[in-house]
């Protein structure tokens, strides 16, 4: 019963919540669709938080996505032990990078008074969810060996069963508790997404890709402007 609730109902509730929350926030307060960056308040620690976190987490998510979209290619790649090691170690190294960035980011917001002012409860809930997600993922990779292979043969078909609206929780029901928690927490992150800074993912400078080049012209007499400044 609980497996049905967690692995056949929760994912849909999370996706519905994600879609509804994202749309409502965009319609009501579109200008909050941003990271609300604090880089201008402090730059050095910001660099050592943001850069490793993003490279790490994006790399990990690309590997997850490959397991979902091209599971047979992952299984083909993993058929040679050396290649399996490379993939597993790359995943773990990227996870370390993301963890390093996340911990730096939390430390930065905890220790700098200026940043405390612009940090709210939603930021801390998000930090906690991400921390739990990364740590559980790393423990899964360490204690339940060759996850990239069994992700492709068990987790991927379960995710596809959800996408095809014919959920088959049996694929994940027998998995160890740690992995189940990793999966459940992923859907909690998805449900909480609309209430966080993560909404910036949906508006990453996308328009820059197709909008016309902007030309900025100096429109004031320089000397006058310098005096009045
Ligand atoms: C918010 C979404 C998610 C994030 C941020 C995330 C993050 C991570 C991280 C940091 C790792 C450790 C790095 C690695 O070894 O690859 C990991 C591993 C893993 N994750 Fe996730 N994960 C997410 C969603 C999921 C979901 C939905 C599933 C399954 C349906 C899943 C299954 C796994 C498995 C099987 C591993 C072990 C991989 C291995 O041993 O190579 N993850 N995850």
């Amino acid at each position: 019963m609980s497996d049905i609730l967690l692995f056949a109902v929760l994912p849909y509730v999370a996706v519905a919540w994600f879609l509804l929350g994202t749309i409502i926030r965009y319609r009501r307060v579109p200008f909050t669709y941003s990271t609300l960056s604090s880089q201008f308040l402090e730059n050095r620690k910001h660099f050592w938080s943001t850069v490793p976190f993003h490279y790490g987490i994006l790399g990990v998510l690309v590997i997850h996505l490959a397991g979902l979209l091209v599971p047979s290619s992952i299984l083909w790649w993993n058929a040679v032990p050396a290649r399996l090691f490379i993939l597993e170690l790359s995943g773990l190294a990227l996870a370390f990078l993301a963890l390093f960035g996340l911990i730096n980011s939390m430390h930065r917001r905890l220790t700098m008074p200026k940043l405390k002012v612009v940090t709210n409860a939603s930021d801390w809930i998000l930090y906690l969810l991400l921390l739990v997600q990364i740590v559980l993922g790393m423990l899964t990779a360490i204690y339940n060996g060759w996850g990239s292979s069994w992700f492709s043969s068990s987790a991927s078909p379960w995710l596809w069963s959800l996408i095809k609206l014919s959920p088959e929780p049996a694929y994940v029901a027998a998995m160890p508790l740690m992995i189940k928690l990793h999966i459940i927490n992923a859907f909690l992150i998805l449900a909480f997404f609309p209430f966080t800074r993560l909404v910036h993912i949906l508006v990453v400078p996308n328009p820059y890709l197709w909008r016309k080049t902007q030309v900025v012209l100096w429109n004031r007499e320089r000397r006058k402007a310098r005096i009045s400044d």
Side-chain angles (χ1 to χ4, degrees):
M1 175 63 185
S2 65
D3 282 332
I4 295 180
L5 277 179
L6 291 172
F7 303 114
V9 178
L10 172 74
Y12 292 113
V13 174
V15 171
W17 196 256
F18 164 80
L19 290 174
L20 210 67
T22 307
I23 293 168
I24 291 174
R25 177 166 170 186
Y26 195 76
R27 288 177 70 103
R28 291 220 172 141
V29 273
F31 292 115
T32 62
Y33 263 62
S34 152
T35 52
L36 302 172
S37 173
S38 59
Q39 186 177 9
F40 67 100
L41 294 175
E42 187 283 327
N43 197 12
R44 205 176 58 88
K45 277 198 174 173
H46 180 268
F47 176 87
W48 290 106
S49 316
T50 302
V51 174
F53 175 75
H54 281 89
Y55 277 116
I57 206 71
L58 288 177
V60 164
L61 290 177
V62 165
I63 298 177
H64 278 57
L65 208 60
L68 174 67
L69 296 180
V70 284
S72 48
S73 305
I74 296 282
L75 291 173
W76 168 83
W77 172 270
N78 284 350
V80 177
R83 294 200 307 227
L84 170 64
F85 271 116
I86 291 173
L87 185 59
E88 291 285 329
L89 283 179
S90 309
L92 216 48
L94 288 164
F96 265 113
L97 203 62
L99 186 65
F100 172 77
L102 187 69
I103 289 174
N104 267 348
S105 188
M106 293 170 83
H107 181 260
R108 174 175 177 268
R109 283 186 185 267
L110 270 176
T111 52
M112 302 195 148
K114 268 192 220 165
L115 293 166
K116 277 188 191 165
V117 180
V118 291
T119 306
N120 57 30
S122 139
D123 295 324
W124 288 113
I125 297 173
L126 180 63
Y127 277 138
L128 194 70
L129 287 171
L130 289 173
L131 188 67
V132 167
Q133 188 65 5
I134 295 173
V135 170
L136 284 174
M138 292 173 79
L139 291 175
T140 298
I142 293 167
Y143 290 107
N144 300 279
W146 323 131
S148 53
S149 283
W150 55 256
F151 180 101
S152 303
S153 54
S154 301
S156 175
W158 169 67
L159 287 168
W160 277 110
S161 78
L162 291 174
I163 294 167
K164 290 177 188 160
L165 303 183
S166 165
E168 292 190 45
Y171 275 116
V172 282
M175 287 187 179
L177 182 65
M178 198 192 307
I179 302 164
K180 287 182 169 181
L181 291 176
H182 182 69
I183 295 176
I184 294 165
N185 198 57
F187 284 101
L188 293 184
I189 293 176
L190 191 69
F192 192 52
F193 182 101
F195 309 101
T196 67
R197 292 164 195 266
L198 286 185
V199 289
H200 78 273
I201 296 172
L202 303 174
V203 290
V204 174
N206 297 336
Y208 292 100
L209 296 174
W210 56 79
R211 79 166 190 210
K212 283 188 185 159
T213 324
Q214 285 184 332
V215 180
V216 179
L217 293 176
W218 184 262
N219 201 17
R220 292 191 290 175
E221 217 181 292
R222 281 169 191 248
R223 217 175 131 258
K224 257 196 209 159
R226 233 181 283 131
I227 292 164
S228 64
D229 284 348

